[in-house]
Amino acid sequence: METAPFDTARVWQQALAELQLQMRREDFQTWFHDAQLASIDGGTCLINAENPFTVEWLGSKCKGPVTRALAGVLGNPVEVRFAVRPSDVGDLERPALELAPSTTGPRERRRASAASHMPASARPAVSPRFTFANFVVGPGNRLAQAGAAAVAEGGPLAPNPLFIYGGVGLGKTHLLHAIGHRAVQDGKEVAYVTSEAFTNEFIDAVGRNRMDAFRARFRKVDVLLVDDIQFLAGKEQTQEEFFHTFNDLIESGGHIVLSCDRAPRSLSTLAQRLQSRFSWGLVADIQPPDLESRIAILRTKLAARNVIDVPDNVVQLLAERATANVRELEGALNRVLAQADLLRVPVDLALAQAALEPTMPAGGRRAADTDAVIKAVCQVSGVARRALEGKGRDKRSAAARQVAMYLLREHSDLSLADIGNLLGGRDHTTVLHGHAKITAALPNDPALRQTLDAVRELLG
Ligand code: ADP
Ligand code: MG
């Protein structure tokens, strides 16, 4: 017998509370944020997640803990199954693609296309600088990296398409190249293209009446990597062509990876049908790296350049100052190294401080960020700043305030006490509680996740 929906929700809440204690926070958020207990039927619990990749991951890595947690809550032994959440969007179209057998595997495809003598331009322009080995994985990019690695390995469970989105300088292009690099090593046919290049080649092919060559180039590869697809917005004809390329390639067993600066649902001008197709595979966002990841990234970059004599306190300073994205972090590192080179002195803290001062005064950027976070939370939640920073305890202000606490704790180096001071002179335990509450709510609250995404989008 199936229990009433409110029961499953409560059971799942309790199971999640248990699971959260057993897992690392970022793993828990990555894999459980959209998982739900769909039904309890006899002794079988059905867990739904948004995409096949997450379902596979949960099934292979989390079955034991989930089974134990649910059995604990229900007081009975249970069997757990994971499945993709049925969605009403695109259901009519979905089976056609999902059930279409890959009549040709990559190897056969390659042989077939090798015979057609790919032109030199079809060879992938993947950069050996951007590999998985020098990509630092942290809480902000774990899901995107896992999806990318799965595509690179190319098994039948690789998410297809993989849609990676996030702000500028957060490693989207790096991951696309890393996939390309690995796939080429495995002897696969790969095409990497920015959506601008795709558009230009398309227009050129139309103009010169060479659509066949154009199609052959993109529809025969094993892995197609399209970077920055936001540039397709508003280009109707190119979108149409891209749409066909996309379908052809997926139906014949090819893999597609797309990057974008925003979530699929924000691609407002991109044709609806293209959008719904993005959601079939895995949609993974990349968030700015935390302090620990920034330090690891700096160390990786230094090692890649064989620079060994940069002291820890300089790395720490750079990681604390350059918080927005990895490109900024690399820029700061370059300035410091260039300065040392120019002056022919070793890198030390004083030199680093001097090199960074003109662009990144200490504290300045942090204050600006804090202010921007609070402003953005007010804008998205519709709560007045006075209310957010005031003493009021009404539900809406309190909820918005907790979102602000969460974001300030996640994205700035402010202490709990500082955050409390900014938000109406609250003490650090209140901030801790607010942060914990949002963290706990996130897994089961898509609206909350959307709010956080909207705030982050405003922050750029
Ligand atoms: P995007 O395409 O998202 O704008 P890029 O992939 O061009 O960003 O990344 C910008 C720079 O930051 C590149 O030099 C890239 O190697 C580096 N980078 C980004 N994320 C990471 C990471 N997690 N580990 C190592 N380097 C990174
Ligand atoms: Mg890029």
Side-chain angles (χ1 to χ4, degrees), residues 80-102:
V80 171
R81 282 182 35 229
F82 298 91
V84 177
R85 176 176 309 127
S87 91
D88 27 19
V89 196
D91 257 359
L92 285 177
E93 296 165 301
R94 184 187 295 238
L97 267 192
E98 278 196 346
L99 299 178
S102 311

Side-chain angles (χ1 to χ4, degrees), residues 173 227-228 327:
T173 298
D227 211 353
D228 290 319
R327 203 165 286 156

Side-chain angles (χ1 to χ4, degrees), residues 107 110 124 126 128 131-132 152 177-190:
R107 309 269 151 201
R110 185 159 56 84
V126 291
T131 60
F132 283 110
H177 281 275
I179 295 169
H181 197 61
R182 173 92 50 94
V184 168
Q185 281 179 339
D186 288 347
K188 290 186 191 141
E189 200 88 64
V190 175

